[in-house]
Amino acid sequence: MDRAQKERVVEELGQIFESSGVVVVSHYEGLTVAEMQDLRARARANQSSVRVAKNRLAKIALEGKPCEGIADFLTGMTVLTYSEDPVAAAKVVEDFVKDNKKLQILGGAMGESVLDRAGVEAVSKMPSREELIAQIASCIGAPASNIAGAIGAPASNIAGILSTIEDKAEAA
């Protein structure tokens, strides 16, 4: 890799560290190509990305970034999993680790906060952005549907009573 390519990689990594909601650092030693492709596919399906980069270049890219504290995790065969959603990448990695024990989560960063292994696990259990939006929408919609039901209830009650009276009149 020549100097220009290294500078491009450092710039790309810098963008990843600045724009990602969460970055998870893991050791991938022992993973087969198929297993790594599975991790990448799972990440893609959850609006996340996986990146393998030289630790030295990643450390250079981290300089001056809010998540600079994760530089300590960059030793050995590391892979970065990241996403704009502050929860998605952590969920992808945690789900992958359940099926494949070869991947070892070292830690990560969420904004300026450096996360240890337990921190990544805690973040993965949080609801995603889409889940939060759905919960808020249902909370907003619930009172409106209750009001509509209350307004419509007297009319349906009257219709039921009239139907019963009509049935009794026909029977008599």
Side-chain angles (χ1 to χ4, degrees):
M1 187 182 299
D2 67 359
R3 185 175 179 85
Q5 289 174 320
K6 289 178 182 178
E7 288 175 358
R8 209 171 320 116
V9 169
V10 168
E11 186 176 319
E12 289 173 11
L13 290 170
Q15 285 290 72
I16 289 169
F17 294 133
E18 279 185 28
S19 64
S20 298
V22 67
V23 178
V24 179
V25 181
S26 309
H27 274 162
Y28 69 97
E29 190 171 356
L31 284 180
T32 65
V33 172
E35 291 167 336
M36 190 61 122
Q37 287 175 337
D38 181 34
L39 175 61
R40 289 179 192 277
R42 289 183 191 199
R44 221 179 354 267
N46 290 293
Q47 291 79 39
S48 302
S49 298
V50 175
R51 176 73 189 255
V52 176
K54 291 189 175 203
N55 292 332
R56 187 171 40 86
L57 297 178
K59 287 178 182 180
I60 293 169
L62 274 168
E63 290 176 6
K65 303 293 186 288
C67 57
E68 191 171 4
I70 66 170
D72 297 338
F73 297 132
L74 298 173
T75 59
M77 297 177 66
T78 55
V79 61
L80 304 172
T81 310
Y82 58 94
S83 63
E84 286 184 30
D85 183 332
V87 178
K91 284 186 185 232
V92 167
V93 175
E94 284 291 338
D95 288 343
F96 186 80
V97 168
K98 288 176 188 171
D99 299 334
N100 194 325
K101 302 295 183 201
K102 294 176 194 170
L103 188 73
Q104 295 177 343
I105 300 171
L106 302 176
M110 186 176 196
E112 293 182 11
S113 302
V114 175
L115 307 170
D116 60 358
R117 172 70 181 92
V120 172
E121 185 178 358
V123 168
S124 74
K125 292 179 181 175
M126 294 170 57
S128 69
R129 183 174 184 265
E130 287 78 23
E131 291 169 341
L132 284 174
I133 290 171
Q135 289 174 357
I136 291 170
S138 69
C139 288
I140 291 170
S145 65
N146 289 344
I147 291 171
I151 290 172
S156 67
N157 288 344
I158 291 172
I161 292 169
L162 292 175
S163 174
T164 306
I165 291 172
E166 188 177 297
D167 290 344
K168 285 183 181 180
E170 286 178 6

